[in-house]
Amino acid sequence: MRYLLGPGGLALTLVCSSAATVAWAVAGRGGDRPARFARLATQAALFGAALAVAAMVTALVQHDFSIRYVAENGGRAVPTYYTVISLWAALEGSLLLWLLVLTGFTVLAVVRVHPRAGALHPWAMAVLSSLSAFFAGLALFAGNAFDRVSPVPADGPGPNPLLQDHPLMGIHPPLLYLGFVGMAVPFAYAVAALITGRTGPAWVAAVRGWTLVAWTFLTVGVVMGGWWAYEVLGWGGYWGWDPVENVSVLPWFTATALLHSIMVQRRRPTLRLWNLTLAIATFVLVVFGTFLTRSGVVESVHAFTRSAIGPVLLAFLLALVLGAGLLLVWRSDRLRDEDPLLATVSRETSFLANNLLLAGLAFTILLGTTFPILLEAVTGDRTSVGPPYFNRMTVPLALLVVLLMGVGPLLPWGRAHVGRLGRVLLPATLAGAATVGVLGLAGLTGVSALLTFGLAVFVTVATGTRVALDVARARALRPGPWAPALGRTLVAHRRGYGGLLVHLGFVLAAVAVAASSTYGTSATQQLTVGETVRVGGWTATLEDLRMVPDARRISAVADLRLREDGADAGVYSPMLSSYPTLTQAVGTPSVRTTLTEDAYLVLTEIDADAGTATVRLAVNPLVLWLWVSVGVMAAGALVAGWPRRRREEQPPPERPGRRSPAVEVAA
C-alpha cells in the first residue's frame, strides 16, 4: 500500500501544482474563481507531498526492505530516531523533504499575504507552484524513492555511519532546507515584479519578512552544521572550505545583502535592478548548491552520489538563469533609478558598500569552488583550491564588513556631516585601537585576529553610542528620566535594534573564529595506560582501553582522565568505530567545553596487541561563543521581524544636513 501511496502522493503534488500554476496565472489577469481553485490546488499539493513523506517514514520505521531506499539506508539495528531522520540521509529521500518544505512555504504564502502585494501575489504564487511541480516531477521520475527491490533483503546497512552518531543530524539538514527553500518566496515575488512591471517598493515590502525568516533558518542551519562537524568528524575544526560547505553559505551572503538594500528601496526609488538581481541570484545559488551536492560532480563528505538527477537540475538551473535574464532585459525600462544614490557619506551609501563587499565574498567563494570543476571539464586535469586561497581572499573583505557594522548605524539617511560623524565615532575608534594595543602588548600575535578583536570592540561601542544618541533624542523630544526614555526608544526602534543585535551576534562569531583558528594548539602522542599528553594547562591521562561491540559496529574506546591546571575535569572517552559497510574506522571525538576554551580529544589510532593508543589533544579557544552567537543572531532576527499589532509611532525621518547626530531606524 505504501508503495502506491508514495508515488501517488508525488503524482498528486505534480498534477495539483501544475494546475495551480495555470490557475494562478489566470488569476493574475483578474478573477476570483481561478484564485479560489488555485488555493485549493495549492493545498492539495501540500497534502500529496505530506502523503509521500509519511509513506516513506512509515516504510523506514517498519523496515520495509522491499523499497530500495529503505534497503539501502535502513537497518534493524539503527535506533528509531536515526531511522526516522534517514528520510534525508540519501538523495531520493532528501528530495521528499525538499518538496514537503517547498509546498509548505507555498501554502504559507497563500495565507500570509502582505497588504502591499496586490497584483504581485497571484503571479508569485504561479512561480512557486511551478517550482513545486518541477520538484514533484523530479522526485517522481528522476529520483523515485519508492522503487522496488528484488529479492527483498532481510536487513539493510543503515545510513552513512557519520549520519547516525549525533542528534544534530535531525536538526541541521531540516534547518538548511527551510533556509534554502524559503528563498524561493523572494525569488517568486521578484519574478512577479518583472512580469507585472511593478518594480517599485511594493515587492520589497512583500518579501522582507520572507527573506528574514529564510535567512534566520539558513544562518542557524549553517552554524549547526559547523557544530555537527566539530563534534563528529574529529579533525578539530568546524569549517574546512569544503565545496558543499561553500555552496551552503553563498545564498547567505546574497540574502544578507538583499535584507540591507531593500531598506534603501523602501525609502527612495533606487537600487531596483540591484535588489531584483539579488533576490533572483539568491535562489539561483540555492539551486546551484542543490545541483552540486546531488550530481556527484564534487567529492565531499557532505555530497550525495552521482545520479540521473544531476543533469535535470543542471538544465533547470540554466533555464532559471536564462529566464531571469530575459525578464530583466524585457523590463529594463522599468529598472532605472529615479533617485540615484549621491556620492555622499550616508546610510544608503554604507548599505551599498556593504552589498558590494558581500557580493565580493560570494563571488570569491564561488570562483574558488567552481574553478577546479571547470578546469577538469575543459582540460581533464584535477586540481583543488584549498583553505589558503579562501582565507587570504575572504578575511580582508569580512573585516571591512565588520567595520561597516559599526559605522553604518551611526550614519543618517541622506547626507552626513563628516566632521560630526568623526566625533560620534571617536569613542568607538579609541576603544578599538586601545584593544589592539593592549592585546599586542600582552603578547598576542596574528594581525587578522588582532584586527578582528579591535573591530569587535569598535562595533560594540558604536552600537552603545547609537542607543545613547537615540535615548538622548527621545529625552529631548519628551524631557524626563532616562529609564522611560530608554523604554520608548526600544519600542520605537525595535526593528533597527533587532538588526543591531544581529550585528553583535555576527561580531561574536567573528571573535570566536579568529581566536580558535589563530590561537588553537594541539599535540599528538602515543600513550600506554598511565601515560599523559599535555597541551597548555590541560593534561589527558590514559586510564583504560576497551572494545565495545554492538549490533551496528565495534568501537575501540580510550578512557582519558582530563585535568585543567591540575583540577580534575572528569573522564572523557573518544573512540574509533569500525562498521561493516566501511573500510576505514570512523573517529568520534570527546570534547570538554568551558567558557574560554575547549579541550578536544581524538583517538587517531589504537594497537590492541601493544596496548597503546595514539591520542590528539587540542585546545581551541572561545569555540563555545561561536555556538552562542547563532542564538544572538536568531534572537535579533526575531526582534527585527516580529510583526506589529498596531502602528507604532516612529520618530520623523532625519533630513540631510540636520545637526543632530542621532538617527532613526528604517521601518
Side-chain angles (χ1 to χ4, degrees), residues 491-507:
V491 172
H493 299 293
R494 172 179 56 80
R495 285 191 169 184
Y497 287 167
L500 294 179
L501 188 58
V502 172
H503 287 180
L504 293 177
F506 183 86
V507 166

Side-chain angles (χ1 to χ4, degrees), residues 413-427:
W413 297 101
R415 187 187 300 269
H417 189 287
V418 177
R420 192 171 294 117
L421 175 64
R423 290 193 294 273
V424 172
L425 286 172
L426 184 60

Side-chain angles (χ1 to χ4, degrees), residues 226-281:
W227 194 2
W228 184 12
Y230 185 73
E231 294 278 350
V232 170
L233 296 183
W235 59 282
Y238 39 77
W239 191 267
W241 295 111
D242 178 273
V244 178
E245 292 175 349
N246 294 347
V247 296
S248 73
V249 82
L250 289 176
W252 186 90
F253 287 118
T254 52
T256 304
L258 179 62
L259 284 171
H260 286 81
S261 60
I262 61 178
M263 289 195 289
V264 178
Q265 188 177 349
R266 293 182 69 184
R267 284 182 162 268
R268 52 195 296 185
T270 189
L271 297 182
R272 291 184 177 183
L273 175 60
W274 179 251
N275 284 329
L276 288 165
T277 302
L278 282 176
I280 292 169

Side-chain angles (χ1 to χ4, degrees), residues 180-204:
F180 284 153
V181 180
M183 296 302 175
V185 181
F187 168 80
Y189 272 99
V191 172
L194 291 170
I195 291 174
T196 61
R198 299 171 183 265
T199 59
W203 84 269
V204 294

Side-chain angles (χ1 to χ4, degrees), residues 8-64:
L10 294 175
L12 177 63
T13 300
L14 175 60
V15 171
C16 290
S17 295
S18 301
T21 301
V22 176
W24 282 119
V26 174
R29 299 180 177 274
D32 292 335
R33 183 173 297 178
R36 287 197 295 269
F37 172 79
R39 292 188 190 96
L40 292 175
T42 303
Q43 293 167 357
L46 173 60
F47 176 76
L51 192 65
V53 168
M56 179 53 69
V57 171
T58 302
L60 285 166
V61 172
Q62 295 184 354
H63 306 303
D64 185 352

Side-chain angles (χ1 to χ4, degrees), residues 288 291-292 297-298 314 366-383:
F288 172 72
F291 159 72
L292 206 67
V297 171
V298 296
L314 180 60
L366 179 63
L367 179 64
T369 303
T370 57
F371 177 77
I373 302 171
L374 297 175
L375 182 66
E376 184 178 359
V378 174
T379 67
D381 297 330
R382 304 196 70 175
T383 187

Side-chain angles (χ1 to χ4, degrees), residues 101-458:
V101 175
L102 179 57
T103 53
F105 267 113
T106 305
V107 170
L108 283 176
V110 172
V111 177
R112 301 286 298 181
V113 184
H114 193 276
R116 300 187 65 182
L120 296 169
H121 177 66
W123 290 105
M125 295 309 307
V127 174
L128 285 172
S129 296
S130 66
L131 293 175
S132 297
F134 169 77
F135 280 99
L138 189 69
L140 181 60
F141 299 112
N144 190 351
F146 295 93
D147 285 342
R148 304 296 294 271
V149 61
S150 181
V152 179
D155 200 354
N160 186 316
L162 292 176
L163 306 181
Q164 51 177 307
D165 278 327
H166 201 282
L168 280 176
M169 171 58 185
I171 301 172
H172 163 62
L175 286 174
L176 275 185
Y177 279 55
L178 288 167
F180 284 153
V181 180
M183 296 302 175
V185 181
F187 168 80
Y189 272 99
V191 172
L194 291 170
I195 291 174
T196 61
R198 299 171 183 265
T199 59
W203 84 269
V204 294
V207 304
R208 177 189 178 273
W210 292 105
T211 308
L212 187 59
V213 167
W215 179 92
T216 304
F217 281 125
L218 184 56
T219 301
V220 179
V222 168
V223 177
M224 289 298 99
W227 194 2
W228 184 12
Y230 185 73
E231 294 278 350
V232 170
L233 296 183
W235 59 282
Y238 39 77
W239 191 267
W241 295 111
D242 178 273
V244 178
E245 292 175 349
N246 294 347
V247 296
S248 73
V249 82
L250 289 176
W252 186 90
F253 287 118
T254 52
T256 304
L258 179 62
L259 284 171
H260 286 81
S261 60
I262 61 178
M263 289 195 289
V264 178
Q265 188 177 349
R266 293 182 69 184
R267 284 182 162 268
R268 52 195 296 185
T270 189
L271 297 182
R272 291 184 177 183
L273 175 60
W274 179 251
N275 284 329
L276 288 165
T277 302
L278 282 176
I280 292 169
T282 298
F283 187 68
V284 167
L285 288 172
V286 166
V287 176
F288 172 72
T290 305
F291 159 72
L292 206 67
T293 57
R294 288 163 173 78
S295 62
V297 171
V298 296
E299 295 181 2
S300 166
V301 69
H302 308 282
F304 297 108
T305 56
R306 188 179 299 272
S307 73
I309 291 175
V312 180
L313 279 173
L314 180 60
F316 179 62
L317 175 63
L318 295 175
L320 282 181
V321 174
L322 179 61
L326 291 175
L327 282 174
L328 288 170
V329 172
W330 178 44
R331 288 300 188 187
S332 58
D333 60 322
R334 305 287 184 93
L335 301 178
R336 298 187 184 94
D337 291 339
E338 300 173 15
D339 184 15
L341 291 179
L342 300 175
T344 59
V345 178
S346 65
R347 183 84 65 87
E348 294 94 323
T349 53
S350 75
F351 280 0
L352 181 58
N354 166 280
N355 272 222
L356 293 175
L357 289 171
L358 290 170
L361 281 164
F363 176 77
T364 300
I365 296 173
L366 179 63
L367 179 64
T369 303
T370 57
F371 177 77
I373 302 171
L374 297 175
L375 182 66
E376 184 178 359
V378 174
T379 67
D381 297 330
R382 304 196 70 175
T383 187
S384 62
V385 176
Y389 162 82
F390 291 107
N391 293 332
R392 189 180 306 114
M393 299 299 293
T394 61
V395 168
L397 296 175
L399 290 176
L400 289 174
V401 170
V402 175
L403 175 65
L404 285 177
M405 288 180 179
V407 176
L410 288 171
L411 291 170
W413 297 101
R415 187 187 300 269
H417 189 287
V418 177
R420 192 171 294 117
L421 175 64
R423 290 193 294 273
V424 172
L425 286 172
L426 184 60
T429 304
L430 292 176
T435 299
V436 174
V438 170
L439 293 178
L441 291 174
L444 268 66
T445 58
V447 174
S448 296
L450 290 175
L451 286 175
T452 301
F453 301 150
L455 286 172
V457 173
F458 171 82

